[in-house]
Amino acid sequence: MILTIAIVAFNAREDLARCLDSLTALPPRCAHEVIVVDNGSTDGAPEMVRSRFPAVRLLRAPGNVGFSAGNNIAFRESSSELVLLLNPDTVVPAGAIDALMKALLLDPAAAAVGPRLVDRDGRAELSFGPMPSPWGEAWQRWLGCAQQRGSWPMRPWVEWRTRRSRTVAWVSGACLLVRRADATAVGLLDERFFLYWEDVDFCAALRAAGRRIRFTPAVEVIHLRGRSTAGVGTATAIAYRRGQLAFYSKWRPRWAPLLAWYLRVRGQHPDLLKDAPPGGG
């Protein structure tokens, strides 16, 4: 079984170096390659990859093309049976990737699997969930905020919930292992999603094709949570809302007009926000 580890990076030099260190210090036992798709970084990340990690394949995107398009470059430039989408702001413990592969291969009906994501202090992230809806989004967001604050009893509840293996609607694209055949069958990642919602959309497409998405707590990966987008709040807000509107138009069309109206009333519609290019990795 051959594996491609695909990392899309944009101005994330320090996080990327840390991630690659974790992958190369104790690499997966299976045959594998690591591909870094650079989205036009200006922080010296490509030069760092070339000098410190010569075995890593470095691909240069034609500018900041976003998360979906960047991962699709890695898909098209590789031929492995399995592809791991991995954020540069992750640290992968020894044996985690092998265990994640085992979890996927043990379920022939599963197209993709995601691990338990934790922060640097070991707190679990809600890295999976049901098919989004307006009320479901509100609940998921509230739970995430309560977990970050350490609120009782929600933090213990989130910790318990993320200790159970389950079939879910989606898992986070920060660390998502997928079978190439399934990814190809749904046309890879939808490039309308520049940053945010691309993983939820990808999983929705896999499920619409009759396949399962699995979450396994038996594997833990450290996620430092989007540090490459730090300092570009307006840009990331625009990307998030554009992705949200695109997702609802595609999968929840009855709710899409109401969502667009609500965002305009709240001044959060992307058309009302000052545009700027967000991070793409």
Side-chain angles (χ1 to χ4, degrees):
M1 186 63 65
I2 302 175
L3 169 72
T4 294
I5 302 172
I7 305 172
V8 177
F10 174 76
N11 287 341
R13 184 180 186 275
E14 292 183 9
D15 283 338
L16 179 59
R18 188 182 299 110
C19 179
L20 292 175
D21 274 332
S22 73
L23 292 173
T24 56
L26 291 168
R29 292 191 301 268
C30 67
H32 68 280
E33 65 173 343
V34 180
I35 295 178
V36 170
V37 179
D38 185 76
N39 266 353
S41 297
T42 57
D43 63 349
E47 294 75 18
M48 178 276 295
V49 173
R50 287 198 188 98
S51 63
R52 290 183 53 184
F53 304 97
V56 171
R57 287 182 64 191
L58 176 65
L59 304 177
R60 305 292 291 269
N64 189 0
V65 299
F67 184 86
S68 294
N71 275 300
N72 286 347
I73 290 173
F75 268 109
R76 294 177 181 123
E77 292 293 326
S78 61
S79 57
S80 59
E81 296 146 278
L82 301 178
V83 178
L84 177 67
L85 309 185
L86 188 66
N87 272 19
D89 58 356
T90 55
V91 176
V92 183
I97 293 176
D98 296 303
L100 199 61
M101 290 176 60
K102 181 179 179 181
L104 180 60
L105 297 176
L106 282 174
D107 188 350
V113 64
R116 187 175 191 260
L117 297 181
V118 298
D119 65 16
R120 64 173 71 247
D121 298 317
R123 290 182 301 186
E125 176 182 335
L126 270 176
S127 58
F128 61 89
M131 186 69 168
S133 64
W135 50 89
E137 273 195 79
W139 171 245
Q140 189 90 358
R141 189 179 303 111
W142 185 82
L143 279 179
C145 290
Q147 167 71 341
Q148 288 301 304
R149 291 194 303 268
S151 302
W152 189 91
M154 299 319 300
R155 181 175 178 180
W157 186 82
V158 170
E159 292 292 328
W160 169 81
R161 183 170 173 78
T162 59
R163 293 290 185 184
R164 296 174 57 205
S165 177
R166 63 183 71 217
T167 297
V168 294
W170 59 269
V171 291
S172 171
C175 185
L176 185 157
L177 180 66
V178 65
R179 301 178 196 264
R180 176 181 297 274
D182 287 305
T184 301
V186 299
L188 305 182
L189 281 81
D190 188 334
E191 296 185 10
R192 286 180 294 177
F193 297 89
F194 186 90
L195 181 66
Y196 300 115
W197 291 87
E198 68 290 320
D199 44 7
V200 185
D201 171 78
F202 187 44
C203 290
L206 295 170
R207 290 174 58 246
R211 303 288 281 157
R212 281 206 292 252
I213 310 297
R214 295 289 298 171
F215 166 77
T216 176
V219 183
E220 283 192 359
V221 170
I222 300 168
H223 184 207
L224 301 179
R225 297 182 66 86
R227 288 171 48 165
S228 64
T229 61
V232 286
T234 300
T236 54
I238 291 171
Y240 181 87
R241 293 305 183 189
R242 283 178 176 165
Q244 185 183 33
L245 288 166
F247 181 87
Y248 273 77
S249 295
K250 184 175 179 179
W251 299 106
R252 299 285 198 187
R254 292 184 179 180
W255 287 103
L258 182 60
L259 173 63
W261 172 83
Y262 173 79
L263 293 178
R264 287 190 180 278
V265 169
R266 295 291 302 272
Q268 297 174 356
H269 195 283
D271 292 347
L272 303 178
L273 301 172
K274 185 178 180 181
D275 207 349

